[in-house]
């Protein structure tokens, strides 16, 4: 449970950072004339929270095969897209601009989701490498003392 919370928190903060970048890019490209108030600072925090909900819901403590892990990640990503689109466009009338904006948001969610997972994997790999090196040093020191 502690590990799941740590992973969710790391994913949340990485997501919020990437969501801010995506909002800057999409806003600059699709609606450069629009200006926001301070409430706009809340949206990346809420979107980040929505983004970690599926990882908390669709989780398991058992070891998954690579295929199962990929399927789970795809399901989580699709659920994030559905939740975010419902939250962002749920009460908007269906028109050409709404569909275009929703497609842009969905694409940015896919990119952000992939980047978050790559960054989390890189951080985990670095931690594992450090732990392996520490273990090797410990074993070498222990062998010398025997």
């Amino acid at each position: 449970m502690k590990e799941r919370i740590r992973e969710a928190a790391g994913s949340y903060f990485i997501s919020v950072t990437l969501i801010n970048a995506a909002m800057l890019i999409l806003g600059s490209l699709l609606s450069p004339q629009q200006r926001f108030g301070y409430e706009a600072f809340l949206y990346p925090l809420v979107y980040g929270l929505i983004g970690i909900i599926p990882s908390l819901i669709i989780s398991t403590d058992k070891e998954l095969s690579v295929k199962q892990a990929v399927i789970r990640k795809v399901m989580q990503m699709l659920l994030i897209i559905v939740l975010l689109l419902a939250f962002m466009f749920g009460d908007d009338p269906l028109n050409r601009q709404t569909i275009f904006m929703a497609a842009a948001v969905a694409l940015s969610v896919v990119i952000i989701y992939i980047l978050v997972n790559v960054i989390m994997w890189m951080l985990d790999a670095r931690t594992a490498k450090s732990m392996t090196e520490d273990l090797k040093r410990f074993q070498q020191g222990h062998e010398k003392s025997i």
Side-chain angles (χ1 to χ4, degrees):
M1 183 64 172
K2 186 177 177 182
E3 179 66 24
R4 190 176 302 158
I5 291 171
R6 186 194 71 76
E7 185 175 313
S11 177
Y12 173 78
F13 290 115
I14 294 168
S15 295
V16 168
T17 302
L18 294 173
I19 289 167
N20 275 316
M23 288 176 67
L24 172 69
I25 293 166
L26 286 176
S28 297
L29 294 174
L30 302 177
S31 195
Q33 74 284 356
Q34 191 168 3
R35 298 292 176 243
F36 297 99
Y38 289 112
E39 70 278 355
F41 289 109
L42 182 61
Y43 291 116
L45 301 174
V46 172
Y47 298 156
L49 185 61
I50 291 170
I52 65 166
I53 290 172
S55 67
L56 297 174
I57 294 172
I58 305 173
S59 64
T60 181
D61 289 333
K62 78 173 200 165
E63 191 71 28
L64 300 176
S65 69
V66 173
K67 182 179 178 180
Q68 290 171 325
V70 169
I71 290 170
R72 188 177 102 199
K73 292 287 185 186
V74 170
M75 287 175 36
Q76 287 175 347
M77 183 182 62
L78 293 174
L79 186 54
I80 291 169
I81 291 170
V82 168
L83 289 172
L84 283 173
L85 291 179
F87 182 78
M88 295 170 80
F89 302 104
D91 59 348
D92 287 353
L94 193 59
N95 59 40
R96 185 178 215 150
Q97 182 169 348
T98 304
I99 292 171
F100 182 72
M101 292 288 284
V105 167
L107 178 62
S108 67
V109 168
V110 170
I111 292 168
I112 289 170
Y113 187 80
I114 290 169
L115 287 173
V116 166
N117 281 284
V118 167
I119 291 168
M120 293 294 289
W121 177 83
M122 288 170 44
L123 292 172
D124 289 344
R126 188 178 74 186
T127 300
K129 182 179 177 183
S130 174
M131 290 173 67
T132 300
E133 290 170 358
D134 289 345
L135 183 57
K136 284 180 183 178
R137 279 194 299 272
F138 174 76
Q139 287 174 338
Q140 289 172 351
H142 185 63
E143 288 172 359
K144 289 179 183 177
S145 66
I146 293 180

